[in-house]
Each structure stands twice: as C-alpha cells, then as structure tokens.
C-alpha cells in the first residue's frame, strides 16, 4: 500500500466533522476538544513533512493553555524551539479544513511547493497538558506521524516550554541542553544555584514563594524541579490539580484579567505570590498589602525588573550591548514611559502574539520580550553570548567585571530562549530579587501602573475590524477609530484600542486612564462604540465591573 493510500485509510479513522472550518490562530488551533481529533492526526502529518523539509526534529504540543478544561488545541514547534513559520501556519489551516477526499491532494501540494523529499527521515517530539482529552488527542498526532513513516518521541505530560526546550536541545546537539526532563531541571537548577550564591541575606523567609499552579501541568513539574534546587527556593503550592478544575477561578489569565487573587490560595499580607497558566508558559506575580489591597506585577513589571538587572550588569561588565524591550499595545503606559524615559532602553511595540514579539526581540543584542499577560523571555544574540563568554574567561579583567560577566552567563543558562516559560521566568525573578536584596513591594514601586480595564464584545463577524500601527488603531469599520479618539479625549492620561481576538470569537477592548473609574467608563464606552459600529450581537454590553 502506498503511503498516500495509508494516509487516506487512516484519516477515515480520524474523521473531520463535515463543514467544520478552523484557523491556525495566535497560538495554533483551539476549540472544544471533541472537534479536534482530525486536526491532531493531520498535524502529525504536517509535522512529519516539516521535519523532512528542515531535516530537523519538530515539536507538536497538545494544549489549550489558559482556555477552559473542555477546550483543547495544538501547535507546532520549529527546529530552534520557535513557533512554526507563517507559511506553514497556512498549510496547517489548509490541511485541517480539507474534506477527506481533498486531504491527500493537499498533502501532495505542500510536498511539491516545498520540494520535500518524502524518503527523508523525520522526527517529531510530542507533549501534552493535563486536560482529560489530551491523551487521546496526542495519540491521534502519533498516528499521523507514523502514517508518513516518521519517528516519534512522546514526552507525555510536560509544560509547553519544556517541549520547546526539548526540540531546541535536540536540534542543537547539546549546544543548548540535554533533551530530557532531567537535563532541563539540571540546567535550570544549576544556573539558579550559581546565581543565588550572590544573593544578599538569602534567609528562609525570603526564599519562600507561594505558587498557584492553575490546576495544570505546572504544579507537578514544579514539584519535580524542587528536588534539584537544594532548598534554595521554598515553594508553597496551591491549585495543584487534585480537586479543582483547570484554569477555573485561578491561573495567570484569571488573575491578570480580573485583577484579583485566584481562589484556592492562602496569602498572608505582604507575601510574594505568583500564578502560572494551564500549560505553564505564562506567569504573573502579586501580593496583598497590609490594608488588604491587591497588587499585580504583570508581564510589564517582569520585563522592567529583568531589563533593569541586565542593564546594570552590562554596565558593571563594561559591555556595550544594546538592550531592547519588546511589548504589545496591552503594555501599561506607565511601563513604556519608565523604560524609555528613566531606564533609557529601546522599546519596540508589535502585534499581539508571541511569534511577533519573539521575531522583534531577535533584532537586538539582547531582546527582552513580555506580553502584559506574563508570557515572555529574553533572547541573547550570538554576539552577546560570545562577548559574555569571552569576558568570563579573560584573566586580565577586574574582579567586579568578572563577577558581572559570570552573573550574565548564568542568567543566559537560566533563561529558556526557545519561548516564554513560567518555571524559568519564576527562577530568574527569584534570583534577581535575591541578588538585589529586593522585596516584592520594592519591585512593585519601580513605577505605578495606570488603572486599566480589559473587556470583550461579541460581534457577528470580528473580521470587520482591521487594525494598523501594531493594533493600536482601527482602520475599519469606518468611523470606529474617530469614535474611540473622541472618547479618549474626554479623560486624562487615557488610551484605548480594540482588536479582534485570535483565540476567541470576540473583539477585545482595552482602556487605561488616570483613575480606575475613568478606565472602566472609557472601556465601557468603547465597547458600546464597537457594538454600534462593528455589528454587535446579543445584549448591549453593560458595565459589568460596577457592582
Ligand atoms: P488573543 O485572543 O488574540 O487576544 C490571547 C492573548 C495573547 C496571547 C494569546 C495566546 C491577551 C490580550 N491576548 O490572544 O497575548 O497570549 O492569547 O495565548 O492577553
Ligand atoms: Zn499558556
């Protein structure tokens, strides 16, 4: 039987619901799990072709991140651990939407366009999150790969960034790390222990960190890591997934969007806490002050802490390397002002979605990128890594320079440069706070966030909204941007924008202003403008934040 006959036959065991069309969105395919079996099988096929084309290992992660437990999703990972190239996103959409008879012709089309030699060997790494649907869906991916004769390595339950790390490690043949969980924990823990050796007064009190695992994969993986940390970090875990539902009233997305602590967590006043999301690629920090007020330290605060630390080390090391911080339109205006005016680093704004931030960060010697929601990492260029490495080996430099160079080197080892990683980001933040002898309150006081509000509006077709200027301005429908501009003018220090979501069937609205009441009112008024001018459906949006 030819390979294509086998694909045709096996594909009928993973039938596509007739008429269903899906789009490879901001972070792969995402929808209710019961509609995804055929997509998984086909992504197994596509990953195998991508592997043959790149002559490298490709990753397939089964997860829907912060979405509800009933959903699932899948994304492909390119050889260096990055999100898959955008041409291949298009192929993914074509394959996912092809009816049974059109599947093999669609595959042949890709093989031709990309000049793929089908006899080439292929290798695909697979991982999954803790959703009940993930196990059988990852089995469908395995079926797809074996249909085209690819080799598979199934890592089972892993965080999304762990799978990105495995793919990058395999393709760099040990130049990045060892492609096992043990290798991942060893690399991170050794760098963390080296860094915290430099900490001022690292007492047990300061080592204590309260973590919300979002009832997802992050909690068991953090437990595994703990064994490698020699008690240099004392993690107190909540929402570990034994009883609560994944991402339900907890996790990084809930905390960021609702600006309140997760349920199921015990927080003492002043205590440093953080939340992962369901697949542990996002993290946000927070604390309650003694008056009971909640303080959130989101991706923008994380980017500020890390870039301040790196800039200081570069000065101490005498290295002339350019640092840039990459943000999206969701970055709080105060953070952008602080980074540009006080810290004096380059700030670059991209469209929402990690792949856009990641690519922009690659343009600089050191690119720190974070979405406000807590997804981010730091990229070091080859030039930066080489200069830092050389300095650590130079016997003619001062002790202070050498110390800074060693700290930079261990920081590079601690960072997961393949993608944003809640575990790696958490360790960096903990190390930076320890080295600088800084409390979470001191970190929070670097700048004060402008009050802000994020809302969503349902419209009949969210594609009627087209944006420009890194999504900060709406080009269509006619009149919408003028309406937003007029509303923004009514408030002080205000800013607002709208964009169609890439992961949900909604239009997102963001507003910030000098008071929470103004931010709330502005967000609500912009929702009404979207509803009126972009074909709102259902009830007219109500100011649901006013209780
Ligand atoms: P959409 O639904 O396109 O806004 C959301 C997040 C993104 C990104 C993706 C993937 C916000 C406002 N948007 O995208 O930043 O993380 O999910 O997870 O947080
Ligand atoms: Zn995630």
């Amino acid at each position: 039987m030819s390979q294509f006959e086998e694909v045709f036959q096996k594909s009928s065991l993973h039938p596509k619901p007739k008429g269903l069309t899906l789009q490879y969105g901001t972070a792969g395919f995402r929808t209710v799990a019961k509609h995804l079996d055929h997509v998984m099988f086909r992504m197994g096929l596509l990953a195998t072709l991508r592997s043959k084309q790149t002559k490298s290992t490709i990753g397939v992660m089964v997860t829907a991140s912060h979405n509800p437990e009933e959903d699932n999703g899948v994304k492909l990972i390119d050889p260096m651990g990055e999100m898959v190239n955008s041409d291949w996103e298009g192929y993914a959409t074509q394959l996912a939407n092809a009816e049974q008879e059109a599947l093999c012709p669609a595959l042949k089309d890709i093989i031709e366009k990309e000049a793929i030699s089908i006899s080439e060997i292929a290798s695909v790494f697979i991982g999954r999150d803790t959703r009940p649907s993930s196990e059988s869906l990852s089995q469908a991916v395995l079926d797809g790969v074996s249909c085209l004769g690819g080799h598979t390595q199934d890592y089972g339950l892993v965080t999304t960034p762990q799978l990105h790390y495995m793919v990058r490690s395999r393709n760099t043949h040990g130049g990045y790390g060892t492609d096992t969980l043990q290798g991942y924990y060893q690399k991170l823990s050794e760098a963390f222990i080296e860094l915290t050796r430099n900490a001022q007064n690292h007492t047990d009190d300061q080592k204590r960190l309260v973590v919300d695992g979002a009832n997802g994969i992050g909690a068991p993986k953090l437990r595994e890591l703990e064994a490698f940390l020699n008690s240099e970090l004392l993690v107190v875990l909540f929402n570990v997934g034994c009883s609560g539902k994944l991402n339900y009233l907890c996790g990084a997305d809930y905390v960021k969007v609702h600006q309140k602590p997760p349920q199921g967590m015990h927080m003492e006043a002043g205590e440093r806490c953080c939340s992962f999301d369901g697949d542990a690629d996002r993290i946000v920090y927070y604390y309650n002050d003694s008056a009971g007020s909640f303080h959130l330290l989101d991706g923008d605060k994380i980017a500020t802490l890390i870039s301040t630390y790196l800039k200081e080390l570069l000065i101490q090391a005498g290295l002339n390397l350019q640092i840039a911080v990459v943000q999206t339109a969701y970055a709080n205006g105060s953070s952008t002002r602080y980074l540009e005016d006080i810290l004096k680093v380059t700030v670059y704004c991209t469209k929402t979605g990690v792949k856009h931030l990641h690519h922009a960060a690659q343009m600089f010697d050191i690119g720190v990128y974070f979405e406000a929601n807590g997804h981010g990492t730091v990229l070091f260029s080859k030039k930066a890594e080489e200069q830092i490495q050389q300095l650590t080996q130079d016997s003619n430099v001062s002790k202070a320079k050498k110390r800074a160079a060693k700290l930079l080197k261990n920081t590079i080892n601690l960072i997961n440069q393949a993608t944003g990683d809640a575990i790696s980001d958490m360790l960096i933040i903990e190390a930076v706070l320890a080295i600088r002898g800084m409390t979470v309150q001191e970190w929070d006081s670097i700048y004060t966030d402008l009050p802000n509000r994020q809302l969503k509006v349902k419209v009949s077709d969210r594609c009627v909204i087209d944006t420009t200027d890194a999504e900060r301005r709406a080009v269509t429908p006619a009149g919408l941007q003028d309406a937003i501009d007029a509303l923004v003018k009514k408030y002080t220090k205000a800013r607002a924008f709208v964009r169609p979501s890439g992961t949900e069937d909604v239009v997102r609205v963001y507003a910030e202003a000098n008071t929470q009441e103004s931010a709330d009112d502005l967000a609500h008024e912009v929702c009404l403008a979207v509803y009126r001018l972009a074909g709102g459906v259902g009830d007219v949006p109500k100011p649901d934040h006013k209780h």
Side-chain angles (χ1 to χ4, degrees):
M1 187 163 46
S2 85
Q3 247 167 356
F4 288 108
E5 280 165 16
E6 197 181 336
V7 169
F8 186 80
Q9 271 192 10
K10 287 264 174 68
S11 163
S12 64
L13 303 176
H14 299 281
K16 172 181 175 299
K18 262 220 155 17
L20 176 73
T21 58
L22 296 166
Q23 189 86 28
Y24 196 96
T26 322
F29 294 103
R30 254 185 229 185
T31 188
V32 279
K34 60 174 190 275
H35 285 160
L36 279 169
D37 184 66
H38 70 295
V39 176
M40 298 292 165
F41 174 76
R42 293 162 186 215
M43 289 309 102
L45 299 174
L46 189 67
T48 311
L49 292 187
R50 180 72 174 152
S51 172
K52 288 176 193 275
Q53 186 224 19
T54 57
K55 302 188 174 49
S56 304
T57 292
I58 295 296
V60 181
M61 183 71 196
V62 177
T63 180
S65 183
H66 57 277
N67 283 40
E69 190 167 282
E70 307 70 55
D71 285 2
N72 217 322
V74 59
K75 60 182 171 189
L76 301 189
I77 302 169
D78 253 2
M80 286 304 281
E82 302 167 2
M83 303 290 181
V84 78
N85 158 302
S86 61
D87 288 348
W88 285 71
E89 290 185 356
Y91 298 148
T93 302
Q94 281 164 18
L95 281 192
N97 295 331
E99 298 301 338
Q100 170 72 7
E101 287 68 31
L103 181 60
C104 286
L107 275 180
K108 285 180 187 156
D109 197 39
I110 299 169
I111 292 168
E112 218 163 87
K113 270 199 192 125
E114 297 291 333
I116 294 164
S117 152
I118 198 76
S119 58
E120 190 72 47
I121 54 167
S123 151
V124 178
F125 283 1
I126 295 163
R128 63 171 196 272
D129 71 11
T130 56
R131 283 162 211 272
S133 59
S134 290
E135 191 167 356
S136 70
L137 290 176
S138 70
Q139 195 54 51
V141 178
L142 291 166
D143 281 358
V145 180
S146 70
C147 223
L148 287 180
H151 298 284
T152 53
Q153 183 157 338
D154 183 4
Y155 283 92
L157 292 168
V158 282
T159 71
T160 296
Q162 283 177 333
L163 191 70
H164 284 255
Y165 162 92
M166 301 302 171
V167 171
R168 188 176 172 118
S169 296
R170 168 60 61 98
N171 290 320
T172 48
H173 312 287
Y176 184 65
T178 311
D179 55 5
T180 58
L181 274 176
Q182 161 120 357
Y184 172 88
Y185 295 130
Q186 250 161 8
K187 181 178 179 201
L188 266 56
S189 59
E190 278 166 19
F192 181 73
I193 290 165
E194 276 300 313
L195 282 174
T196 48
R197 249 188 242 289
N198 292 276
Q200 313 173 0
N201 305 322
H202 208 203
T203 62
D204 278 359
D205 247 12
Q206 285 161 334
K207 288 180 189 173
R208 193 180 139 90
L209 174 68
V210 181
V211 183
D212 155 28
N215 293 317
I217 184 66
K221 296 296 150 184
L222 203 47
R223 283 258 180 278
E224 288 173 16
L225 169 78
E226 258 190 312
F228 292 77
L229 286 177
N230 290 353
S231 307
E232 283 303 319
L233 182 68
L234 307 172
V235 173
V236 186
L237 256 173
F238 291 95
N239 298 328
V240 295
C242 297
S243 51
K245 223 176 157 181
L246 178 71
N247 296 326
Y248 183 62
L249 304 178
C250 62
D253 197 62
Y254 174 85
V255 173
K256 168 70 183 161
V257 173
H258 298 275
Q259 303 184 30
K260 58 182 179 195
Q263 294 198 5
M265 180 118 149
H266 182 77
M267 292 165 68
E268 297 285 345
E271 200 162 44
R272 197 166 71 249
C273 308
C274 66
S275 283
F276 290 7
D277 74 337
D279 63 338
D281 60 358
R282 288 193 197 178
I283 184 168
V284 294
Y285 270 68
Y286 44 90
Y287 67 96
N288 275 333
D289 64 23
S290 48
S293 295
F294 175 74
H295 297 256
L296 175 68
L297 294 97
D298 62 1
D300 306 334
K301 291 249 165 166
I302 296 172
T304 307
L305 180 75
I306 295 177
S307 50
T308 305
Y309 160 78
L310 290 174
K311 191 168 176 194
E312 265 182 25
L313 287 181
L314 287 178
I315 293 170
Q316 287 168 18
L319 287 170
N320 183 19
L321 294 166
Q322 187 196 8
I323 300 190
V325 177
V326 183
Q327 305 186 313
T328 70
Y330 291 100
N332 195 279
S334 290
S335 74
T336 314
R337 252 190 305 280
Y338 177 83
L339 290 164
E340 283 180 336
D341 300 347
I342 313 285
L343 195 61
K344 302 212 184 299
V345 293
T346 307
V347 178
Y348 192 93
C349 185
T350 70
K351 292 195 330 191
T352 303
V354 172
K355 62 181 176 216
H356 300 295
L357 289 104
H358 194 91
H359 286 144
Q362 284 171 326
M363 299 189 304
F364 304 94
D365 295 335
I366 300 178
V368 179
Y369 76 80
F370 270 88
E371 293 190 306
N373 61 31
H375 188 136
T377 186
V378 186
L379 303 186
F380 291 86
S381 65
K382 203 159 179 274
K383 170 181 151 193
E385 287 204 13
E386 280 170 3
Q387 287 192 13
I388 291 165
Q389 175 67 24
Q390 266 169 20
L391 200 60
T392 60
Q393 289 163 343
D394 192 338
S395 48
N396 293 322
V397 294
S398 69
K399 247 186 162 168
K401 275 193 178 172
K402 198 143 206 165
R403 174 182 179 271
K406 280 194 178 149
L407 283 173
L408 282 166
K409 187 166 173 237
N410 283 311
T411 305
I412 293 174
N413 288 338
L414 185 50
I415 282 169
N416 188 346
Q417 294 192 59
T419 189
D421 181 335
I423 292 180
S424 152
D425 290 339
M426 175 196 82
L427 292 176
I428 296 193
I429 294 163
E430 291 302 305
V432 172
L433 293 177
I435 292 165
R436 295 170 67 97
M438 215 177 185
T439 63
V440 68
Q441 291 78 6
E442 286 163 343
W443 169 22
D444 191 29
S445 68
I446 294 182
Y447 66 83
T448 306
D449 271 326
L450 278 170
N452 58 88
R453 179 64 60 194
Q454 224 194 92
L455 297 173
K456 340 180 188 184
V457 190
K458 267 230 162 272
V459 298
S460 58
D461 175 12
R462 68 194 200 277
C463 297
V464 300
I465 297 190
D466 195 12
T467 63
T468 184
D469 189 20
E471 305 176 324
R472 288 173 289 196
R473 297 189 66 80
V475 184
T476 60
L480 180 58
Q481 189 58 48
D482 290 342
I484 296 172
D485 289 342
L487 292 169
V488 167
K489 271 205 192 115
K490 294 179 10 189
Y491 299 91
T492 309
K493 287 195 179 170
R495 185 169 72 91
F497 67 91
V498 303
R499 55 175 279 280
S501 159
T503 62
E504 284 176 67
D505 188 14
V506 296
V507 174
R508 293 200 198 284
V509 170
Y510 176 89
E512 62 186 31
N514 64 331
T515 66
Q516 189 62 54
E517 202 187 359
S518 295
D520 289 349
D521 289 346
L522 176 57
H524 178 236
E525 286 179 312
V526 173
C527 279
L528 294 178
V530 171
Y531 187 87
R532 189 163 46 84
L533 296 165
V537 291
D539 294 339
V540 180
K542 284 198 200 66
D544 58 353
H545 46 275
K546 283 191 177 162
H547 299 292

